[in-house]
Amino acid sequence: MADYGQELEFGVFITPVADQVSGVVELAREADLLGLELVTFQDHPYQAKFLDSWTLLSSLAAVTSNVRLALNVANLPLRPPAVLARSLASLDLISNGRAELGLGAGAFWDGIEAMGGRKLTPGQGVDQLSEAIDVIRALWDTSQRSVNFEGEYYRIKGAHPGPQTPHPIGIWLGAYKPRMLALTGAKADGWVPSVGYADPPELPDKSARIDEAAREAGRDPAEIRRLYNLIGKFGSDESWPRGEARDWPEQLAELTLEQGMSSYILSISDADDLRRFAEEVAPATRELVEAG
């Protein structure tokens, strides 16, 4: 049994389709009203059919009150980390401390290159991400007067840190391969894999790699939140969780109690699925975890 002492959370992953903007906004507002903890969006600036995710998050900060807002995950090759740090700090201020940061090393490199980004190898992507985390954290540290950073991918010369964020913003990494898992353990605040890329049987080994890297870095593995993007559909056995809404809580509670996963983010496009997840699955899962 893995117990990292993290509070159980539930959220949604909404596709930011541009020609359905009113529906996207309404789903986010509904999640807020229903008491979910997280509303997240993918970030693909090269996708012409999607809304710009940062513009969307900023607008949602004004029409929600409690839900935390995050990219799941930000496209680092097209989001310079120094500017990204300012964007997150600004969003955190606008939303009264409700911003979080998901980060990835990059994928869909042809699309990234088409938008002016540099096409990297997977190894280069991990190295760039490691530097980016250092740059972002340095620019959030308002205890220092200026930031200087000399890396292979990023150079910062005398930038002033700030603005001060209302709360410590979490950095969550979408990680699957050994080097990314090690980076998660060494530097991140959260791990956010997805069903289909890391199914439940694969989670223990990957989580153990994170724990090992955290200890090697002198960190407590319990500092790292374990989030999970769910791709399940109620009434289907083709993905995970499987079955009807009544079948989901037992599966999620088992994953929580046995592997320490603590945040469940469901990919949704339908208001009825959103309500069932918030009103049926989430409370029943909490009851089972509390009993366990």
Side-chain angles (χ1 to χ4, degrees):
M1 178 179 291
D3 182 3
Y4 297 101
Q6 301 281 359
E7 292 291 331
L8 200 57
E9 296 181 335
F10 295 86
V12 290
F13 180 78
I14 305 170
T15 303
V17 182
D19 64 5
Q20 299 174 19
V21 60
S22 61
V24 169
V25 172
E26 283 308 308
L27 285 173
R29 295 180 65 182
E30 186 75 2
D32 187 49
L33 293 172
L34 289 170
L36 293 178
E37 285 84 12
L38 292 164
V39 167
T40 73
F41 297 92
Q42 57 190 292
D43 181 36
H44 297 293
Y46 40 79
Q47 175 54 269
K49 294 183 179 180
F50 286 178
L51 298 163
D52 175 71
S53 300
W54 276 113
T55 306
L56 177 58
L57 286 184
S58 298
S59 67
L60 290 176
V63 296
T64 57
S65 300
N66 300 298
V67 75
R68 304 205 316 281
L69 304 167
L71 293 188
N72 188 357
V73 291
N75 192 300
L76 178 65
L78 293 175
R79 307 283 188 186
V83 177
L84 196 57
R86 300 265 199 255
S87 299
L88 259 294
S90 299
L91 181 62
D92 206 43
L93 282 164
I94 293 168
S95 66
N96 295 315
R98 295 187 287 122
E100 309 291 355
L101 176 59
L103 274 178
F108 307 104
W109 290 103
D110 289 342
I112 290 168
E113 191 174 37
M115 288 287 286
R118 178 183 173 188
K119 192 172 186 177
L120 302 177
T121 66
Q124 289 174 324
V126 178
D127 293 338
Q128 184 183 57
L129 177 58
S130 180
E131 287 188 13
I133 293 172
D134 294 340
V135 169
I136 291 167
R137 291 204 188 282
L139 286 167
W140 285 344
D141 183 4
T142 55
S143 67
Q144 55 184 337
R145 297 184 61 183
S146 64
V147 174
N148 292 281
F149 182 89
E150 188 73 24
E152 182 178 351
Y153 299 92
Y154 303 112
R155 292 171 179 80
I156 308 297
K157 297 183 178 181
H160 294 165
Q164 177 68 56
T165 63
H167 94 294
I169 299 173
I171 295 179
W172 308 332
L173 300 189
Y176 303 97
K177 300 291 182 65
R179 286 193 66 208
M180 280 290 290
L181 294 168
L183 180 60
T184 303
K187 293 187 177 182
D189 303 297
W191 175 44
V192 55
S194 299
V195 170
Y197 293 91
D199 290 332
E202 303 172 64
L203 296 178
D205 177 66
K206 295 182 187 302
S207 192
R209 289 176 181 270
I210 292 171
D211 291 353
E212 181 182 1
R215 294 189 187 100
E216 289 177 357
R219 306 179 67 204
D220 182 350
E223 296 177 23
I224 304 163
R225 175 171 285 280
R226 317 297 161 120
L227 307 97
Y228 202 22
N229 290 322
L230 308 177
I231 317 296
K233 182 73 174 176
F234 295 124
S236 172
D237 291 329
E238 294 182 1
S239 188
W240 196 90
R242 295 184 173 88
E244 301 291 345
R246 63 178 177 272
D247 302 316
W248 286 29
E250 185 174 354
Q251 297 171 68
L252 298 181
E254 181 179 355
L255 202 61
T256 300
L257 294 170
E258 294 187 0
Q259 300 185 33
M261 306 304 285
S262 56
S263 297
Y264 296 105
I265 303 170
L266 178 63
S267 175
I268 58 106
S269 58
D270 180 87
D272 288 338
D273 288 346
L274 169 59
R275 283 189 287 271
R276 295 183 73 186
F277 187 62
E279 296 177 343
E280 300 176 35
V281 176
T285 305
R286 293 185 196 278
E287 290 180 7
L288 289 173
V289 169
E290 184 176 352

